[in-house]
Amino acid sequence: VSAVKENDLIPGTTTYVDKYYAIAKLADNRCWMISNYAKASGIYITDVTSTTWGNADNAFNNALFTDPAVATPINGTRTCTGVGYAATIDDAITFLADSGSKTAGSIHNCGYLYNWYGATDGTGLKNLTTTIATGSICPTGWHLPSYGKVDSAPLGWASNNEFGDLYAPNASFARFVGTSSAWRGVHAGRVQISQLNNQNTHGYYWTSSANTPANYAFHLYFTTALAITNLTYDYKWEGKSVRCVLNVD
């Protein structure tokens, strides 16, 4: 287990800071980030109840993101605090030793919440369907994991089916949470209809896979019970977390 460093902006400023993300090779033999991503990319919205995030045209055509620590949850109890990322390698590694949802390491690793256009670095267009977005906000050499299926029909992405390989339908997500070599989900909630919902109870993670109709893209979510987990789809304008997986040459 190690960490990757990225020099990035602090949202709303001209100040750059080092951000660290814990990484590990998991049971699928791929190298994953096991802390949430927090790159400043697009329009930073501190008031998630604003019309900017809720407007369909803006949300589909602009990269929108927020730190789930800056807005009061509409539904649920605050979990995320701080800047949303590990500022030192020690903080990133601390995340590996905690529960994944409650303690000091995890609350600094809630990351940011992005709409799908932002998560795919502008390649996740409103009219994109039944395919994988070509770009992501992940660092060079990393990418947004795919679902690997669209409308339950395989599209032949056997070598690019990251979330599909990591997740087994109806399986407990507990096998990815709780040890230093696990995937480590965080209950950062999501932005839905211009509200920050389900912080402390749900985690939502974008895939790179578009669905049909065009308004939808796939995501993975899990609950506090860790037994209710699903790969499903939702509106592209919603704000969800991002994890990155290392490219394979």
Side-chain angles (χ1 to χ4, degrees):
V1 178
S2 185
V4 61
K5 180 178 76 172
E6 185 175 43
N7 190 250
D8 190 33
L9 276 171
I10 297 176
T13 75
T14 58
T15 302
Y16 284 81
V17 65
D18 289 337
K19 300 178 180 180
Y20 292 84
Y21 304 98
I23 60 175
K25 181 175 283 189
L26 302 187
D28 61 352
N29 207 36
R30 292 185 174 94
C31 188
W32 288 79
M33 286 187 181
I34 48 178
S35 50
N36 287 4
Y37 199 46
K39 181 178 182 178
S41 177
I43 302 171
Y44 181 57
I45 298 175
T46 57
D47 177 12
V48 297
T49 62
S50 71
T51 57
T52 304
W53 196 293
N55 179 277
D57 289 337
N58 283 336
F60 277 121
N61 300 313
N62 290 308
L64 308 180
F65 74 101
T66 191
D67 180 346
V70 303
T72 301
I74 304 299
N75 175 17
T77 303
R78 176 174 298 289
T79 298
C80 298
T81 63
V83 294
Y85 55 87
T88 67
I89 190 169
D90 287 341
D91 190 28
I93 300 304
T94 296
F95 177 62
L96 307 178
D98 66 37
S99 66
S101 62
K102 300 291 186 185
T103 60
S106 64
I107 64 177
H108 289 93
N109 287 275
C110 280
Y112 297 154
L113 304 178
Y114 306 86
N115 66 357
W116 199 61
Y117 188 87
T120 61
D121 198 28
T123 64
L125 302 177
K126 180 178 181 180
N127 61 354
L128 194 67
T129 61
T130 60
T131 190
I132 297 176
T134 58
S136 81
I137 59 169
C138 295
T140 301
W142 297 73
H143 62 275
L144 193 65
S146 70
Y147 172 24
K149 294 183 179 181
V150 173
D151 285 344
S152 300
L155 294 186
W157 305 331
S159 63
N160 192 27
N161 188 15
E162 291 91 356
F163 265 137
D165 289 347
L166 195 63
Y167 166 78
N170 303 315
S172 171
F173 204 64
R175 63 194 180 104
F176 305 126
V177 178
T179 68
S180 62
S181 61
W183 187 77
R184 311 313 302 279
V186 178
H187 300 122
R190 64 174 170 178
V191 175
Q192 184 184 37
I193 316 175
S194 300
Q195 298 178 345
L196 179 60
N197 288 313
N198 301 327
Q199 189 177 127
N200 195 48
T201 60
H202 289 67
Y204 302 87
Y205 291 89
W206 280 124
T207 78
S208 58
S209 305
N211 194 17
T212 185
N215 292 352
Y216 297 105
F218 282 97
H219 71 272
L220 179 145
Y221 78 89
F222 68 99
T223 70
T224 50
L226 298 177
I228 304 174
T229 315
N230 200 8
L231 276 163
T232 186
Y233 56 90
D234 219 327
Y235 293 109
K236 293 175 179 176
W237 51 261
E238 290 194 356
K240 296 183 173 70
S241 299
V242 163
R243 289 283 177 92
C244 301
V245 60
L246 189 65
N247 293 349
V248 178
D249 294 331

